Amino acid sequence: MSMYQVKPVCAGDMTVDLPTCMYRIPNIHAQQGGGCGDHALQNGEMDPALKVLEARQDEIMRKLYELKAAVDGLAKTVTTPDADLDATTLSQSPAAAAFTGTADLDTLLGKDLGALRDIVINANPASPPLSLLVLHGLLCQRYRVLSSVHVHSSVSSVPPQLLSCLGPRHTESYTRHCFQLGFTLIWKDVPKLQMKFNTQSMCPIEGEANVARFLFRLLAADPQDAVTATQVDSWVDTAMFQLAEGGSKERAAVLRSLNSALGCSPWLLGQELTLADIVCACCLLRAGQAASAPANVQRWLQSCRNLGHFDCVYPLLQ
């Protein structure tokens, strides 16, 4: 059965007007020889300009891989909250080894991998951690400490003496690699004092007593025998829970215990100053019990003041 036929839509000899706004290229099919004009190369060779471009791309990729490896290496060395590590100082000569006490810090805190070991403490300005300020002064005598005080946005205002409680600001604070230890105090509206040291492998330490124990160990002055260490912990807990937070009867009982212990020795645990003396003295001063303390306690407080370690505490009590 025959199909119906239709007329052609357009004639075969129809001419089309091409636009003149576009650029024109030569018709490669109309060229003689069947080649690609001036860009055609024999024997499968590559255009020299393309070779240069490919080599340049390979060099860029190589540099990117080297940069990525360097960044990954720096990320492994940053084990503290210190975020502004100066990478240009990592390839310099080990000048930090000239400081005394570096071996002790390496033993207690781990090997220094280039980043400043920064101790960050969040404290409420309504209850300044007096014992930590005393320990900060002792750390500054043993190590080269970069100290700084900041105010969190949760606190509206801070007295001037709290802003300068760690001493004058370091003029060379931008060269962080010159210091062995960082001590950053942030006045913040927190219910309990917190300390952060290694954000990757340790949880925050809470409470002034626990932070004081941590800082005192950095002085390598912890007692070696278990009995003395237990006595130190007992006095520290007594000071924090009874002197600082207890009532009048509890404070009176602690004063009697202090007076009895100090009647046998110049310090609470013998002939040397320990963490127990620092914490108990600071809690006693903060509680306002120094003026009414017994004779042995008064003598002991005067001995603490004569050492000079408590000079940073008395301006905060006024």
Side-chain angles (χ1 to χ4, degrees):
M1 182 176 64
S2 60
M3 299 293 293
Y4 61 89
Q5 295 182 352
V6 295
K7 296 181 179 180
V9 178
C10 58
D13 57 348
M14 183 180 66
T15 59
V16 179
D17 296 331
L18 298 176
T20 58
C21 61
M22 300 294 291
Y23 60 89
R24 295 179 177 273
I25 58 174
N27 188 351
I28 60 174
H29 300 285
Q31 295 178 1
Q32 298 294 329
C36 296
D38 297 337
H39 297 279
L41 299 176
Q42 296 179 355
N43 301 326
E45 295 181 0
M46 187 182 298
D47 192 335
L50 187 59
K51 288 183 178 181
V52 174
L53 184 61
E54 184 178 4
R56 181 182 177 186
Q57 181 181 2
D58 292 341
E59 180 67 16
I60 292 176
M61 294 302 297
R62 184 186 64 81
K63 291 182 179 180
L64 286 176
Y65 281 122
E66 291 180 355
L67 182 61
K68 182 179 181 300
V71 173
D72 292 341
L74 290 177
K76 294 179 180 179
T77 64
V78 179
T79 57
T80 70
D82 174 42
D84 52 349
L85 174 65
D86 186 3
T88 60
T89 63
L90 296 180
S91 60
Q92 295 180 358
S93 60
F99 299 115
T100 59
T102 303
D104 293 339
L105 280 181
D106 291 342
T107 302
L108 295 169
L109 303 179
K111 186 66 177 177
D112 181 8
L113 299 178
L116 179 65
R117 293 174 283 208
D118 198 359
I119 298 173
V120 181
I121 298 175
N122 296 325
N124 198 316
S127 180
L130 302 183
S131 62
L132 304 189
L133 302 183
V134 176
L135 291 171
H136 165 264
L138 293 174
L139 288 173
C140 290
Q141 294 179 6
R142 185 174 182 85
Y143 307 107
R144 185 165 175 80
V145 181
L146 174 60
S147 308
S148 59
V149 180
H150 305 279
V151 180
H152 193 262
S153 58
S154 60
V155 178
S156 58
S157 63
V158 174
Q161 58 268 27
L162 293 183
L163 295 177
S164 59
C165 61
L166 298 184
R169 186 177 180 86
H170 292 277
T171 56
E172 67 276 14
S173 59
Y174 58 91
T175 56
R176 298 172 68 87
H177 65 282
C178 295
F179 296 89
Q180 296 172 271
L181 194 65
F183 195 100
T184 303
L185 178 60
I186 303 176
W187 296 116
K188 185 177 181 181
D189 186 12
V190 291
K192 185 180 293 186
L193 183 139
Q194 291 182 344
M195 188 207 78
K196 297 181 180 180
F197 171 68
N198 191 329
T199 58
Q200 295 183 356
S201 60
M202 70 178 281
C203 60
I205 298 177
E206 292 189 346
E208 182 177 347
N210 296 325
V211 176
R213 292 184 177 100
F214 177 86
L215 297 180
F216 195 72
R217 289 188 177 94
L218 299 183
L219 298 171
D222 256 2
Q224 299 299 323
D225 60 295
V227 175
T228 306
T230 303
Q231 292 175 339
V232 170
D233 284 335
S234 177
W235 277 115
V236 170
D237 291 338
T238 299
M240 287 297 173
F241 293 116
Q242 298 185 37
L243 273 179
E245 301 176 1
S248 58
K249 292 184 179 181
E250 292 177 309
R251 292 176 180 174
V254 176
L255 285 176
R256 289 192 297 268
S257 299
L258 287 172
N259 191 59
S260 176
L262 294 170
C264 305
S265 59
W267 304 105
L268 288 177
L269 296 176
Q271 303 298 319
E272 295 182 358
L273 179 76
T274 64
L275 179 63
D277 297 284
I278 296 174
V279 176
C280 287
C282 290
C283 289
L284 191 62
L285 292 172
R286 185 166 53 192
Q289 302 292 318
S292 60
N296 293 333
V297 178
Q298 293 276 5
R299 174 186 51 80
W300 168 68
L301 288 175
Q302 187 60 41
S303 299
C304 291
R305 188 166 190 173
N306 292 339
L307 290 178
H309 304 323
F310 292 80
D311 292 344
C312 60
V313 171
Y314 287 94
L316 305 182
L317 302 174
Q318 300 175 358

